Amino acid sequence: MQTILVNEHNVHIVKQQNTPVVMALGFFDGVHKGHQQVIGAAKRKAKLLGLPLAVMSFFPHPKTVFSNEAIDYLMPLEQKAKQLQALGVDMFYVVEFTKAFAKLSPKQFIEQYLIALGVKCAVAGFDYTFGAKGAGTIHELQALSDGRIAVEVVDKYSLHGEKVSSTAIQQLLKRGQVEEVTALLGKPHTVKYARDKGVLPYYTLPESGAYYVTIVAGKRAISQRIVIDGTHIQLGQDIIFEECAIMFHQRMEQLLPISS
């Protein structure tokens, strides 16, 4: 899979190297089950049309651009790319979100970032918006492109009557409900941890408490209990990996100290 960084300074160069694609549109933080529905629909359309499957995402989060607000991400871009590649994506476009980009009208976004990148069919969730202040909707995209881009809209994906979304997952993490998060992600919530740095950037820890986890380093996997205190993780003294992945399975009823 190709990962292609795009901004207002290089989009004209990227345009010269484009190829016709079916493109899934969204932020895709966490690549949860709702995102997988969108990408799956785009994959089927790409196969039907005989075109490569592309995904367009954005970075950083718009809130950091306009308010300098700290944003909790479910995963960094490199992890998102791995998840997308595993889903069969051929090209991953990462558009730099800037104040200049945010001012583009819906038609300018279509011309400069969809038509220019060879999009023949756009696939997105029912509530996807684009252009300045989200003025354009996925339902309007085909008309705004003067029919040059076909559109497929994916209906809301819900579990237990609630829409599956990155925001919902973040809220569950803040309450420590990691089992519910697993249901929405389709896999356990995972963070990367380094002994000298702590939790690596763009990962979010669940609420303080004790959790059953699997710690993965290289080919080794260890299941055990850990304790989270704010942004600090207390690992067992037998855990000596310099860097590892921590997969959260279940929150314990009581917060108990790790025995030495």
Side-chain angles (χ1 to χ4, degrees):
M1 183 185 77
Q2 289 180 282
T3 298
I4 305 162
L5 306 180
V6 187
N7 57 42
E8 59 259 39
H9 304 297
N10 74 352
V11 67
H12 65 285
I13 299 173
V14 177
K15 174 183 177 180
Q16 297 171 6
Q17 303 169 353
N18 74 20
T19 185
V21 296
V22 172
M23 184 175 284
L25 302 171
F27 195 72
F28 299 110
D29 189 24
V31 195
H32 55 62
K33 284 188 174 181
H35 295 147
Q36 292 168 31
Q37 296 297 309
V38 173
I39 294 167
K43 186 175 183 178
R44 291 189 293 273
K45 180 63 72 172
K47 184 176 181 179
L48 180 65
L49 298 177
L51 296 175
L53 170 60
V55 165
M56 177 181 285
S57 186
F58 308 89
F59 189 84
H61 194 285
K63 288 183 179 179
T64 66
V65 174
F66 290 108
S67 65
N68 294 321
E69 180 180 345
I71 296 297
D72 292 327
Y73 293 87
L74 295 173
M75 61 174 55
L77 279 174
E78 58 266 28
Q79 191 63 33
K80 186 186 296 188
K82 290 180 181 179
Q83 297 279 345
L84 295 175
Q85 184 173 18
L87 291 172
V89 174
D90 299 303
M91 303 164 71
F92 179 31
Y93 288 98
V94 181
V95 177
E96 182 182 2
F97 195 96
T98 64
K99 290 183 178 179
F101 176 80
K103 292 179 180 178
L104 294 177
S105 70
K107 286 188 73 70
Q108 287 175 320
F109 169 72
I110 289 170
E111 291 291 340
Q112 297 177 29
Y113 287 87
L114 298 186
I115 298 293
L117 297 181
V119 178
K120 299 302 179 185
C121 178
V123 181
F126 71 102
D127 55 354
Y128 180 79
T129 61
F130 56 92
K133 298 182 179 180
T137 72
I138 186 62
H139 305 279
E140 303 168 313
L141 197 154
Q142 185 168 0
L144 289 172
S145 71
D146 299 320
R148 289 173 290 172
I149 299 177
V151 170
E152 184 165 329
V153 179
V154 179
D155 292 335
K156 178 172 68 174
Y157 182 76
S158 301
L159 285 177
H160 311 300
E162 297 293 332
K163 177 191 171 186
V164 176
S165 68
S166 301
T167 300
I169 292 169
Q170 289 286 2
Q171 291 172 347
L172 289 169
L173 288 174
K174 289 177 181 178
R175 298 194 293 268
Q177 296 174 265
V178 294
E179 292 175 87
E180 289 85 346
V181 169
T182 297
L184 271 58
L185 286 174
K187 56 189 178 295
H189 177 61
T190 302
V191 303
K192 293 287 184 71
Y193 176 86
R195 276 199 168 273
D196 59 339
K197 299 176 183 178
V199 177
L200 298 184
Y202 305 112
Y203 286 104
T204 298
L205 284 174
E207 181 187 36
S208 296
Y211 296 87
Y212 287 116
V213 303
T214 298
I215 298 173
V216 180
K219 296 182 179 180
R220 295 188 62 188
I222 300 172
S223 295
Q224 74 160 68
R225 176 174 53 85
I226 67 169
V227 173
I228 294 175
D229 182 9
T231 59
H232 179 67
I233 300 178
Q234 299 176 35
L235 299 176
Q237 292 184 359
D238 57 327
I239 303 300
I240 58 175
F241 305 125
E242 292 299 320
E243 186 170 318
C244 60
I246 303 174
M247 303 167 61
F248 290 84
H249 301 298
Q250 184 180 12
R251 187 177 185 182
M252 298 176 62
E253 290 296 325
Q254 295 180 335
L255 179 59
L256 302 174
I258 293 179
S259 58
S260 60

